[in-house]
Amino acid sequence: MWFEQFYSGIITIGFVAGACYMSYPFNKWDVGRAFRRNYCTTRRVELSKRDHRLTGNQYVISGLESISDS
C-alpha cells in the first residue's frame, strides 16, 4: 500500500542524515574542530594553497619545518 513507502523513506532519510552528521563528533575528537578544513575565509584558502605549495599535498598541514633555511 501507499503507506509502506513512508517506512523506506524515513529509513533512507535517517541513514543519509546519520552519514552527514556523524563526522562532527569524530572531527571534534580528532582535530578539535567541527570540520577538518574550513574554507570560510580568504585567509584559510591562502593557507591551504601555501600547504599545497610547500608540501605538495593540501591535506598535510605544514609548519615551520617545511620551509627550507636557504
Side-chain angles (χ1 to χ4, degrees), residues 8-66:
S8 63
I10 291 171
I11 290 171
T12 302
I13 289 172
F15 278 117
V16 170
C20 290
Y21 295 114
M22 201 60 199
S23 64
Y24 176 79
F26 289 111
N27 287 339
K28 220 34 178 161
W29 171 67
D30 189 27
V31 293
R33 298 185 305 270
F35 305 105
R36 293 193 177 271
R37 286 286 181 151
N38 184 6
Y39 294 114
C40 292
T41 63
T42 56
R43 177 71 177 142
R44 295 282 186 166
V45 173
E46 291 170 1
L47 290 174
S48 174
K49 289 180 181 178
R50 179 205 63 181
D51 293 342
H52 183 65
R53 182 175 40 85
L54 290 175
T55 63
N57 187 352
Q58 71 179 16
Y59 299 106
V60 175
I61 298 174
S62 60
L64 292 175
E65 67 277 354
S66 64

